[in-house]
Amino acid sequence: MLQKELYLKNSGFLRAKEDYETSKAVIVGVPMDFTVSFRPGTRMGPRKIREVSYGLEDYSPYLDESLNNKNYFDAGDLDLPFGNVEKSLKIIEKSVESILEDNKIPVFLGGEHLISYPLIKKVAEKYPELAVLHFDAHADLRDEFFGEKFSHATVLRRACEHLKDKRLYQFGIRSGIKEEFEYIKQHGFLSFAEVKEGFINKFDEFKNYPLYITLDIDVFDPSFAPGTGTPEPGGCTSKDFFDLIPYFKKLNIVGFDIVEVSPINDISERTSLLAAKILREVLICIC
């Protein structure tokens, strides 16, 4: 059962229901940015995504469906010990474990990208055939970063330790050291700088796997999403991504996160709005 003492309750995401028991998906915010390497502020992402969601319609013209009849629960934000990475990762792991035990789909809002590690680890334990779809500007495949094994720059390398080989699919990657690009050539698939074309080309290969989707908001060009800690020019457009939403409906998505939204770096709030709209679409697809 959901362990309520782990959470700080706050205003829920658009149309979130009050009944945990009947929910199909559970939203959890993770206000953590302890290992960020450039601009901090992503700890504020979960609350801002919820806040701006009230400006969205509950109806999706991409899917011709509404959130009105979808059952999902917003548990609020995890209560983390500030600055303690190891203990925070354990709290995140405990949270997702309880959600999976209740046979619900975990949907997590970051926060920095390191939060994805315990999520993918636990989801892979439940679904041994799991594949991960990773949308990002950065490969996040370093074995260590400034001597640290656990960092937002190493998160997918750590996650791969819990996946079968060739189960990582990366889209939009346009930054990283040479060793990261060599690693993914050997152990997965990378669509360099492209999102839409690479996704569609590989769709038939990954569509039958249980899938975890992790989306770093910096996969988008900074003109669409300036509110992030490590913006990287040359990214995809928001339209490119929303063109893929009908494909998401055909997938077996068993976990999802959206990370690296940093509201203090975007006074226009368009980054948070983009994240909220993506979340609306994903919830419709999985609930």
Side-chain angles (χ1 to χ4, degrees):
M1 291 296 295
L2 191 73
Q3 302 173 54
K4 296 181 180 179
E5 68 273 11
L6 296 176
Y7 301 90
L8 296 169
K9 190 62 180 173
N10 46 45
S11 298
F13 185 78
L14 179 67
R15 295 287 183 183
K17 306 301 187 292
E18 295 294 327
D19 186 9
Y20 174 80
E21 296 303 323
T22 60
S23 64
K24 186 170 182 180
V26 178
I27 299 172
V28 176
V30 188
M32 171 177 155
D33 58 1
F34 306 156
T35 76
V36 295
S37 55
F38 188 34
R39 303 189 306 198
T42 57
R43 74 188 68 169
M44 303 172 188
R47 286 177 179 265
K48 180 58 72 171
I49 292 170
R50 293 184 180 100
E51 178 186 321
V52 301
S53 73
Y54 292 99
L56 295 175
E57 303 286 354
D58 51 59
Y59 172 74
S60 166
Y62 305 94
L63 298 167
D64 190 25
E65 290 190 64
S66 171
L67 285 176
N68 277 331
N69 58 349
K70 303 296 183 179
N71 290 324
Y72 58 94
F73 179 80
D74 192 336
D77 288 352
L78 287 173
D79 189 7
L80 302 178
F82 184 75
N84 190 326
V85 174
E86 182 179 359
K87 189 172 181 180
S88 294
L89 293 178
K90 289 180 180 178
I91 291 172
I92 297 167
E93 186 172 315
K94 187 176 181 182
S95 170
V96 71
E97 187 174 43
S98 67
I99 292 169
L100 291 169
E101 285 175 352
D102 290 338
N103 294 312
K104 302 182 187 302
I105 300 173
V107 176
F108 277 64
L109 311 179
E112 63 165 277
H113 211 158
L114 182 57
I115 75 162
S116 301
Y117 167 67
L119 304 178
I120 294 171
K121 175 185 173 183
K122 299 308 294 187
V123 174
E125 287 179 10
K126 181 166 183 174
Y127 301 96
E129 297 301 317
L130 187 73
V132 172
L133 307 186
H134 174 214
F135 297 87
D136 204 326
H138 308 90
D140 294 345
L141 287 170
R142 300 188 191 212
D143 189 42
E144 62 177 39
F145 191 60
F146 288 98
E148 296 293 327
K149 288 284 190 178
F150 294 95
S151 162
H152 75 154
T154 69
V155 58
L156 268 299
R157 183 66 169 265
R158 297 285 80 81
C160 280
E161 295 167 356
H162 300 274
L163 300 173
K164 291 186 176 181
D165 203 29
K166 305 286 187 178
R167 293 296 175 89
L168 175 62
Y169 296 82
Q170 296 188 305
F171 306 99
I173 311 299
R174 53 195 186 276
S175 179
I177 60 175
K178 184 176 181 179
E179 287 79 4
E180 292 178 274
F181 288 93
E182 293 299 322
Y183 179 89
I184 194 62
K185 285 179 184 177
Q186 297 297 319
H187 300 286
F189 167 79
L190 181 144
S191 178
F192 175 69
E194 285 289 334
V195 170
K196 183 177 176 179
E197 181 179 351
F199 180 95
I200 293 173
N201 286 344
K202 283 291 181 176
F203 183 79
D204 286 339
E205 183 175 312
F206 58 66
K207 68 179 181 180
N208 293 320
Y209 293 136
L211 293 172
Y212 187 98
I213 298 177
T214 178
L215 190 152
D216 186 325
I217 203 69
D218 69 23
V219 70
F220 297 97
D221 190 83
S223 58
F224 296 89
T228 190
T230 50
E232 186 72 33
C236 73
T237 69
S238 55
K239 182 182 182 301
D240 283 341
F241 188 84
F242 285 109
D243 284 347
L244 299 180
I245 291 300
Y247 289 88
F248 278 36
K249 187 71 173 176
K250 303 173 185 178
L251 299 175
N252 179 22
I253 301 171
V254 296
F256 175 82
D257 69 58
I258 187 164
V259 298
E260 300 286 354
V261 173
S262 181
I264 64 171
N265 293 305
D266 178 14
I267 60 172
S268 74
E269 298 184 335
R270 64 183 180 271
T271 310
S272 303
L273 280 164
L274 175 57
K277 186 170 180 177
I278 291 170
L279 182 54
R280 180 191 70 185
E281 303 302 319
V282 170
L283 288 169
I284 291 174
C285 287
I286 65 178
C287 290

